[in-house]
Amino acid sequence: MSSVVIGTTISSNLVFAEIGEPEKEDLTFGFIKLTDMAPLAIAYEKGYFEDEGLYVTLEAQANWKVLLDRVIDGQLDGAHMLAGQPLGATIGYGTEAHIVTAFSMDLNGNAITVSNDVWSKMKQNIPHDSDGKPVHPIRASSLKPVIDELKAEGKPFNMGMVFPVSTHNYELRYWLAAGGIHPGYYAPSKGDVSGQINADAFLSVTPPPQMPSTMEAGTIHGYCVGEPWNQQAVFKGIGVPVITDYEIWKNNPEKVFGVSHSWAEENPNTHIRVVKAMIRAAKWLDEENNANRPEAVKILSKSQYVGADYDVIANSMTGTFEYEKGDKRDIPDFNVFFRHNATYPYYSDAIWYLTQMRRWGQIDQFKPDSWYLDIAKKVYRPDIYSIAVNELITDGVVEAADFPDLESETGFKPPQTEFIDGVTYDGRFPNKYLDSFSIGLKGKEDI
Amino acid sequence: MIKQNAYAAVFGGVKEALSIKNWLFPLLGIVVFLALWNTSASRINTSLGEFPSPVVVYQQWNSLVNDHIEEREKEVAFYERQDVRNAKKLANDPDYIAKKRPYTGKPTFFDQIFTSLYTVLAGFGLASLIAIPMGILIGLNGHIYSALNPIIQVFKPVSPLAWLPLVTMVVSATYVTDDPMFAKSFLTSMFTVTLCCMWPTLINTAVGVAAIEQDLLNVSKVLRLNWLTHVTKIVIPSSIPMMFTGLRLSLGIAWMVLIAAEMLAQNPGLGKFVWDEFQNGSSNSLGRIMVAVIVIGFIGFLLDRVMLMIQRLSSWDKTQVLR
């Protein structure tokens, strides 16, 4: 609790004081070519970084591992990261390093796509409405017979996700498990980091931009990835997105902005200023009911950012999502950058990721509830976020009403119920939450 | 004398270039190639659309030129904003030392070409600095040759892709300064290039040195030349043709290796440009990659020609046929 107390006292002291000059003015931030890197691109293009006296270079990275390693060894000052990455790195899953985040970049924004072949078989198990369109959300139980059929022929069912500690890995696993399909366990202490022990569906890592071509080549039957790589499959006619992550867990946290702990210690003013610029960018992205989205799409379609065609990016960024070709539906919250307190780094979000790491064996030993909170506090830094928000309020750029009440905020969202399997999540009781799943490690179980 | 020879060599080259044989057939070759490319391109359908035809490639070239111009305009605006900001800071704090920082926007295609050229020349230069003296040494001394030969043979065939992770890790670990003179990415690309491209120069120089005519060696002995004069007056001049064969091979390898290293490590340069475009998956991507492919090939060709010209200028035997 101590860090929160310190955090709030600092922030209340600083409300009327201006933050000092940035310690480091020339910064390089990494990102992966995905639409949810938008706050970085907007903060750059709209001059928000420059307003803070920061000269930022944005650099696309080859994959999530390269990006993380470059933040750790200091080649990058910070980066667009998977929410699980700072947590995974801090607890030492994969490359060990203390990474922190003070800014949550967005909510939702992913989907699960299967190949045309799998879709045609799945479709037979899905109820259709009076218009002849499949009823959404589509459950993994409709995929189960397809996998069973392959199993009977002795063939594996392969799917791609982007990184072992990615949101996508956990979302895909969540969806599969909710439909009775076992996505397999990890057993790092036994040297097994493939995550395929006892699996019905075999998940492996593929970098986001390569998902469509890997599926086209037949190496994987489907994947879970961020935009625009699901819509790209629709445009290319090679696959069908069956479900968005919004339908798996409504308003789930997705990317964060991560920096190394030592960088944050050495550059406190710079860090706050970066967060300030990004909060402004997030606000711009959601302003007036997404009125700026077309302009944002235009910026993102430039080759130095996401680079995909305007139409492909616009499909999901402007509040719609196209499932099967021609089946375009409204999902106004497909990509949320600001509303619903999207930018606040909630401890409960961090703890959810940790529960999933435990559920699938990446954390292979029982941990008490207090451990989950300790790690969350070590990685998620609402104290820095609060200073940035207070500054912005003082500057008159944002209104206090746009944010949770920073003085009383505990960092825990109220228990969340909108999951596809109907399980309730309360971040205060991670072990109780783990016990409520039928598939997954619970209690003191290990592999 | 040397100057005159050089002049003759260049003039000879120009005269040769103007003869019919030298432009008609190459032109024919290019026309047939373009026609073949055009017809086969329309038959290849990728998930990003048709394979780019020469016309599409030309259009993408234009769009890259426009991108470049646009980016330069943004750069000017960036500097103006920076000046205003620095002036304001200076007004607030007279002790403030304004830093003029370079543009933070994206490098354009042409910036990437420049980066690649600069890197390849640095890597190749370093390789030559190591390989030529070492080649002379092992060519002169059979014992050193036998000692080093196994090492050379083992390291020679190693792919840049295998060197890259090692070089990257070593550079990150050893090159730690607060205010680096070189970017780490530049150093990793450069060292990878050096490690891969030094072998042909090394081996060819050694062979050239070892194969000096006995007559010349006898002359050296008769004149009782000291070691240094022997090397500079007899060994180096007579091994120059072989040395240059090695250098040209090395430069060719250096250029190929660099593009691969840039692609894999995301280091700035043409390789990164290609990889970025591939990752973008936009309908323009293939056309842009094709532009890069042609430019990469063209630059490789030019580099070879430049080496050939240097060889013409530095070789004492002007009767030798060079191609």
Side-chain angles (χ1 to χ4, degrees):
Chain A
M1 205 58 209
S2 62
S3 67
V4 181
V5 176
I6 295 166
T8 39
T9 40
I10 291 173
S11 67
S12 37
N13 285 343
L14 272 180
V15 171
F16 301 108
E18 232 181 75
I19 31 170
E21 291 296 323
E23 294 83 1
K24 191 171 180 198
E25 295 177 333
D26 301 283
L27 304 167
T28 308
F29 294 151
F31 68 90
I32 295 287
K33 289 180 173 284
L34 291 164
T35 52
D36 54 23
M37 61 75 65
L40 280 170
I42 298 304
Y44 179 86
E45 293 286 331
K46 294 279 153 195
Y48 298 156
F49 284 132
E50 286 185 28
D51 288 348
E52 297 296 330
L54 305 173
Y55 295 87
V56 171
T57 307
L58 297 176
E59 240 180 46
Q61 306 296 312
N63 57 53
W64 290 114
K65 176 157 171 46
V66 168
L67 174 138
L68 180 63
D69 288 346
R70 296 189 73 195
V71 170
I72 293 170
D73 72 15
Q75 291 184 58
L76 296 173
D77 293 290
H80 163 228
M81 283 187 188
L82 296 158
Q85 269 186 314
L87 294 160
T90 302
I91 64 170
Y93 190 80
T95 320
E96 182 165 5
H98 191 177
I99 304 284
V100 299
T101 177
F103 180 78
S104 162
M105 283 181 76
D106 65 321
L107 304 179
N108 313 320
N110 298 327
I112 295 171
T113 295
V114 297
S115 69
N116 289 334
D117 187 37
V118 171
W119 173 241
S120 64
K121 289 179 188 156
M122 260 177 93
K123 220 173 163 179
Q124 298 159 11
N125 314 321
I126 299 165
H128 285 61
D129 63 16
S130 51
D131 300 337
K133 283 183 175 175
V135 178
H136 282 273
I138 292 171
R139 286 164 202 282
S141 47
S142 60
L143 176 64
K144 203 168 188 317
V146 183
I147 295 180
D148 291 342
E149 195 184 311
L150 276 172
K151 231 182 187 174
E153 293 169 28
K155 289 180 190 156
F157 183 79
N158 298 318
M159 288 188 97
M161 45 83 185
V162 304
F163 199 66
V165 296
S166 66
T167 334
H168 316 79
N169 188 16
Y170 305 128
E171 280 163 2
L172 185 52
R173 283 166 178 272
Y174 202 99
W175 179 68
L176 290 169
I181 301 166
H182 201 303
Y185 288 128
Y186 292 83
S189 62
K190 296 203 172 66
D192 190 325
V193 289
S194 62
Q196 298 181 343
I197 300 169
N198 299 344
D200 296 325
F202 298 92
L203 274 46
S204 59
V205 171
T206 307
Q210 270 125 54
M211 287 290 185
S213 44
T214 312
M215 189 171 74
E216 207 180 353
T219 317
I220 49 176
H221 297 93
Y223 54 75
C224 178
V225 75
E227 277 312 304
W229 311 114
N230 296 291
Q231 293 301 298
Q232 183 85 307
V234 178
F235 269 73
K236 285 177 161 185
I238 57 169
V240 175
V242 287
I243 188 166
T244 64
D245 59 343
Y246 181 77
E247 297 156 301
I248 298 173
W249 175 17
K250 187 176 163 184
N251 291 337
N252 66 85
E254 172 54 39
K255 299 294 184 324
V256 296
F257 178 75
V259 301
S260 78
H261 180 252
S262 53
W263 186 93
E265 293 283 293
E266 285 158 26
N267 305 290
N269 292 339
T270 316
H271 197 182
I272 297 166
R273 285 171 180 271
V274 170
V275 174
K276 275 177 77 182
M278 288 178 72
I279 292 172
R280 284 179 71 190
K283 182 171 190 280
W284 183 89
L285 276 161
D286 279 9
E287 233 159 30
E288 287 161 47
N289 230 345
N290 294 354
N292 292 326
R293 290 294 179 91
E295 191 186 339
V297 173
K298 215 168 153 192
I299 291 170
L300 289 177
S301 66
K302 289 185 179 178
S303 66
Q304 68 265 42
Y305 300 125
V306 182
D309 290 348
Y310 179 93
D311 295 339
V312 177
I313 300 178
N315 235 16
S316 69
M317 277 283 278
T318 51
T320 58
F321 192 79
E322 190 167 1
Y323 293 91
E324 202 174 357
K325 213 161 207 165
D327 185 0
K328 201 167 177 175
R329 305 190 186 196
D330 284 334
I331 306 188
D333 279 352
F334 182 83
N335 260 138
V336 174
F337 293 99
F338 190 70
R339 50 182 181 266
H340 313 314
N341 299 332
T343 53
Y344 190 93
Y346 283 101
Y347 294 141
S348 52
D349 290 348
I351 292 170
W352 187 82
Y353 282 100
L354 292 169
T355 62
Q356 301 304 302
M357 289 178 193
R358 169 65 191 141
R359 184 181 182 190
W360 303 118
Q362 291 175 333
I363 297 170
D364 52 6
Q365 271 161 5
F366 169 82
K367 303 280 181 192
D369 285 356
S370 59
W371 179 87
Y372 289 89
L373 181 57
D374 288 345
I375 297 293
K377 282 183 175 167
K378 211 171 154 190
V379 177
Y380 276 48
R381 298 294 298 273
D383 53 331
I384 294 168
Y385 176 87
S386 303
I387 301 173
V389 169
N390 282 329
E391 280 288 323
L392 286 170
I393 295 171
T394 315
D395 294 350
V397 184
V398 296
E399 286 162 30
D402 292 337
F403 299 90
D405 179 13
L406 300 172
E407 298 294 324
S408 65
E409 180 57 58
T410 56
F412 284 92
K413 287 181 184 168
Q416 294 163 74
T417 52
E418 286 165 297
F419 285 86
I420 192 159
D421 56 0
V423 172
T424 301
Y425 168 63
D426 184 345
R428 288 180 177 85
F429 308 105
N431 280 302
K432 199 177 135 207
Y433 179 58
L434 281 167
D435 290 341
S436 57
F437 295 116
S438 54
I439 300 181
L441 295 180
K442 50 179 81 91
K444 301 210 155 106
E445 279 177 7
D446 60 6
I447 297 296
Chain B
M1 182 66 191
I2 291 170
K3 222 175 177 183
Q4 222 170 26
N5 273 344
Y7 177 73
V10 173
F11 184 71
V14 171
K15 207 170 127 190
E16 208 183 87
L18 288 175
S19 74
I20 285 191
K21 186 189 105 191
N22 274 304
W23 60 262
L24 183 68
F25 289 102
L27 198 69
L28 208 66
I30 291 171
V31 169
V32 172
F33 171 73
L34 286 179
L36 272 177
W37 172 9
N38 201 28
T39 44
S40 48
S42 61
R43 282 154 212 243
I44 307 174
N45 261 310
T46 74
S47 54
L48 286 176
E50 246 173 43
F51 191 84
S53 65
V55 181
V56 173
V57 171
Y58 177 70
Q59 286 164 351
Q60 287 308 322
W61 165 263
N62 282 339
S63 92
L64 286 170
V65 172
N66 287 337
D67 267 9
H68 181 74
I69 296 168
E70 200 179 296
E71 203 61 26
R72 284 296 92 92
E73 281 164 5
K74 279 173 81 177
E75 187 176 352
V76 171
F78 171 87
Y79 285 123
E80 281 168 2
R81 285 199 307 274
Q82 183 174 266
D83 288 342
V84 171
R85 204 161 292 120
N86 279 339
K88 214 157 110 191
K89 270 194 168 178
L90 206 59
N92 282 341
D93 173 13
D95 295 332
Y96 179 74
I97 300 157
K99 187 174 168 193
K100 185 100 180 171
R101 53 182 50 73
Y103 180 50
T104 57
K106 70 153 180 180
T108 66
F109 181 61
F110 300 94
D111 298 332
Q112 302 285 35
I113 293 178
F114 181 75
T115 311
S116 283
L117 269 178
Y118 175 70
T119 317
V120 82
L121 291 178
F124 171 71
L126 183 65
S128 308
L129 280 180
I130 300 169
I132 293 174
M134 250 178 84
I136 293 173
L137 203 67
I138 63 175
L140 286 173
N141 188 320
H143 299 303
I144 304 181
Y145 173 77
S146 336
L148 292 180
N149 192 40
I151 299 166
I152 296 172
Q153 296 306 330
V154 167
F155 284 133
K156 190 180 64 159
V158 176
S159 149
L161 308 187
W163 279 123
L164 195 63
L166 290 175
V167 174
T168 311
M169 297 312 284
V170 171
V171 167
S172 314
T174 53
Y175 189 68
V176 204
T177 56
D178 282 339
D179 191 20
M181 195 160 100
F182 301 107
K184 276 183 184 165
S185 57
F186 165 74
L187 291 179
T188 40
S189 296
M190 186 188 79
F191 287 132
T192 309
V193 166
T194 304
L195 279 172
C196 295
C197 83
M198 61 192 276
W199 313 109
T201 306
L202 181 64
I203 292 164
N204 278 286
T205 307
V207 172
V209 168
I212 299 173
E213 280 174 50
Q214 196 56 44
D215 292 350
L216 289 169
L217 293 178
N218 290 340
V219 169
S220 175
K221 272 182 193 153
V222 169
L223 294 175
R224 291 171 184 266
L225 296 180
N226 65 26
W227 188 81
L228 195 68
T229 329
H230 173 68
V231 170
T232 51
K233 297 287 179 197
I234 306 280
V235 173
I236 293 182
S238 51
S239 57
I240 272 198
M242 280 299 278
M243 207 187 281
F244 267 93
T245 312
L247 284 170
R248 278 171 68 190
L249 282 172
S250 280
L251 187 56
I253 292 177
W255 186 238
M256 274 199 271
V257 164
L258 177 71
I259 304 297
E262 284 170 350
M263 272 180 89
L264 196 70
Q266 301 289 293
N267 290 341
L270 279 169
K272 182 171 165 62
F273 174 85
V274 170
W275 190 247
D276 280 350
E277 283 300 335
F278 175 55
Q279 302 261 295
N280 282 349
S282 122
S283 49
N284 296 329
S285 292
L286 291 181
R288 288 177 169 221
I289 292 173
M290 203 62 208
V291 172
V293 165
I294 292 170
V295 167
I296 290 168
F298 202 69
I299 291 175
F301 165 74
L302 283 182
L303 288 174
D304 193 60
R305 289 289 113 166
V306 169
M307 282 306 290
L308 191 67
M309 231 164 84
I310 299 172
Q311 182 174 4
R312 278 214 178 95
L313 296 176
S314 57
S315 173
W316 52 271
D317 183 6
K318 302 295 176 200
T319 58
Q320 204 189 13
V321 181
L322 299 172
R323 55 197 307 167

